[in-house]
Amino acid sequence: MDIPVIDLTRYLEIADKLSTDPVKLSRQLGELGPWLGELCKEVSRILRETGALVVKDPRCSADDNDRFIDMMEKYFERPPEFKRLQERPQLHYQVGVTPEGVEVPRSLVDEEMQEELKAMPKEFQPSTPKGPDRKWRYMWRVGPRPLNTHFKELNSEPVIPEGFPEWKETMDSWGHKMISAIEAVAEMAAIGFGLPKDAFTSIMKQGPHLLAPTGSDLGCYGQEGTVFAGYHYDLNFLTIHGRSRFPGLNIWLRNGQKVGVKVPLGCLLIQTGKQIEWLTAGDCIAGMHEVVVTKRTIDAVKLASEQNCSLWRVSSTLFAHIASDAVLKPLGHFAESPLASKYPPIRAGEFVEQELSGFLVAGREIKFKDETSNGRAALVSFKKSSG
């Protein structure tokens, strides 16, 4: 599916001049002509209907994306014993590398979700994972954290692998650029939803944003149907990715249709998470998605092999969050929605902790990653239930 591309250039040219006061903003929208209001409404419409948005941000070039992916390919190609030197299980994988076989999609363990999937038409059902995700992930914090918070993260140093002198600058640069793109989209979506321009961005400040690229070895796991990321939603606000060199992402539209996503060169993909669903009382819902080896993936693998290129599929994922101490609740007119009662006020950090709390499956307690900033289901440990 080709999702319409939203070019942010024109908005960025006037963004700083737009008022956060709704009355003044309304006047400015009239003075600037219909294009701005129509563009912002288009952003909100696409997020509402598809849960995904493709944008072109002049501050995030294809070269920037290539530079980042080149470095991550080089890293993921290193032997497992080298990568495990950056593993920090004692810190619940909040920093450093998470090996393949650790992250577990909710669709594998959530019985209620499994029943929902069986009720789907066969052609729209997701691929069934046979175990934990076959992907590695690297966790890198982006942006400042609050000094005073009820949700203090472990005060751990970032992990930098040996032999990568460019690591910190590359991670920070790409991470900050993608956060900037998210902020522009968040402003446009707010305007499109009829909210103040800073309705979302004002509560994103000092959020626990994470740059969390994944690496999947298509040389090892290149068989059609292999699941790299099982059917799931992200619990954060918005998730953004640079274009991957290998296709395989499927998303589910609000009407239940399953579609493969194509991201044009030089563009970014943004997906809705659970926190924006909360803030809009379900007007926008968290987008379901998966990453699976498809025929298009195999075609890309053949081409990469012929050109002697890396066969690691890197996804430059960044999870943007609402600040942990901010309160999640339907904003503005969404508070009057008939569905608002389904989204009671809760601090974002507490919401994330609830999403990731342990629960019993087949007599064992599954501990999801105790991290207030990642928007993914990750298996930290299995232990026998005492019950």
Side-chain angles (χ1 to χ4, degrees):
M1 175 187 178
D2 294 323
I3 299 172
V5 176
I6 300 294
D7 192 331
L8 304 183
T9 304
R10 200 172 177 190
Y11 176 79
L12 293 172
E13 290 171 352
I14 53 93
D16 290 342
K17 300 172 185 176
L18 296 178
S19 176
T20 56
D21 178 83
V23 176
K24 292 180 180 177
L25 177 61
S26 179
R27 186 168 62 246
Q28 288 176 316
L29 290 174
E31 293 169 350
L32 288 166
W35 72 268
L36 179 57
E38 290 172 358
L39 183 63
C40 292
K41 286 180 180 178
E42 180 71 351
V43 167
S44 60
R45 181 193 67 80
I46 296 172
L47 289 176
R48 179 188 300 115
E49 294 179 3
T50 71
L53 180 71
V54 175
V55 301
K56 187 171 182 61
D57 188 326
R59 301 167 299 180
C60 304
S61 69
D63 288 343
D64 291 329
N65 188 50
D66 284 343
R67 178 179 173 227
F68 178 81
I69 289 182
D70 286 346
M71 184 184 77
M72 293 312 303
E73 285 178 348
K74 180 182 172 186
Y75 172 76
F76 285 126
E77 285 170 349
R78 298 296 296 270
E81 56 270 24
F82 170 82
K83 289 180 286 195
R84 287 186 180 276
L85 295 174
Q86 291 84 54
E87 184 182 7
R88 299 293 185 271
Q90 72 277 19
L91 300 180
H92 310 297
Y93 300 100
Q94 292 188 80
V95 293
V97 76
T98 304
E100 67 177 60
V102 172
E103 292 191 14
V104 175
R106 285 187 183 274
S107 58
L108 187 68
V109 293
D110 188 326
E111 293 179 357
E112 184 177 342
M113 182 179 285
Q114 289 169 0
E115 290 303 312
E116 292 174 0
L117 301 186
K118 289 176 184 176
M120 287 182 176
K122 285 287 186 184
E123 66 270 25
F124 296 154
Q125 287 183 6
S127 301
T128 303
K130 296 180 173 59
D133 289 341
R134 290 173 173 173
K135 67 176 186 292
W136 293 70
R137 188 188 292 278
Y138 209 99
M139 307 292 277
W140 185 266
R141 296 174 182 175
V142 178
R145 300 302 199 249
L147 294 176
N148 299 309
T149 174
H150 290 90
F151 305 93
K152 191 72 176 175
E153 293 177 284
L154 293 175
N155 188 24
S156 48
E157 292 297 317
V159 180
I160 301 176
E162 188 176 347
F164 290 82
E166 76 279 27
W167 188 271
K168 185 178 187 304
E169 193 277 329
T170 302
M171 297 292 270
D172 287 344
S173 173
W174 188 231
H176 285 294
K177 287 183 177 186
M178 290 207 292
I179 284 287
S180 295
I182 285 271
E183 289 172 341
V185 168
E187 289 180 355
M188 297 172 76
I191 295 170
F193 285 130
L195 300 172
K197 170 195 169 187
D198 65 344
F200 298 133
T201 54
S202 62
I203 54 176
M204 285 176 62
K205 287 181 170 56
Q206 296 189 332
H209 314 306
L210 273 182
L211 179 59
T214 62
S216 305
D217 188 356
L218 287 162
C220 248
Y221 306 118
Q223 299 78 25
E224 185 175 355
T226 300
V227 179
F228 286 137
Y231 180 82
H232 69 288
Y233 64 80
D234 293 340
L235 61 81
N236 52 300
F237 174 59
L238 292 173
T239 302
I240 186 168
H241 318 263
R243 184 176 185 268
S244 176
R245 290 171 177 167
F246 297 93
L249 174 66
N250 294 319
I251 66 171
W252 277 258
L253 307 184
R254 192 158 190 153
N255 63 10
Q257 182 182 357
K258 173 184 176 180
V259 295
V261 175
K262 298 177 183 177
V263 180
L265 189 66
C267 292
L268 303 166
L269 173 68
I270 293 174
Q271 294 174 276
T272 52
K274 202 69 175 177
Q275 290 178 346
I276 194 172
E277 178 177 332
W278 215 269
L279 297 169
T280 62
D283 191 56
C284 239
I285 61 172
M288 304 303 298
H289 50 283
E290 67 177 4
V291 178
V292 180
V293 176
T294 65
K295 288 184 172 63
R296 289 179 57 233
T297 315
I298 293 171
D299 290 342
V301 168
K302 289 177 181 176
L303 182 60
S305 298
E306 292 168 2
Q307 297 176 346
N308 199 29
C309 295
S310 175
L311 297 184
W312 278 82
R313 183 189 190 277
V314 173
S315 175
S316 54
T317 305
L318 184 141
F319 299 112
H321 272 254
I322 300 302
S324 299
D325 293 279
V327 175
L328 289 177
K329 62 181 180 180
L331 300 177
H333 62 86
F334 290 119
E336 308 301 320
S337 165
L339 298 177
S341 60
K342 291 179 59 179
Y343 302 94
I346 183 173
R347 283 188 297 190
E350 184 181 351
F351 167 77
V352 172
E353 287 176 349
Q354 288 183 8
E355 283 280 308
L356 298 178
S357 61
F359 58 92
L360 291 175
V361 176
R364 293 183 297 182
E365 184 179 7
I366 292 196
K367 287 288 189 181
F368 283 106
K369 190 170 182 298
D370 185 19
E371 161 67 65
T372 63
S373 55
N374 68 343
R376 63 192 176 97
L379 180 66
V380 172
S381 63
F382 279 102
K383 69 176 183 180
K384 292 181 181 178
S385 169
S386 57

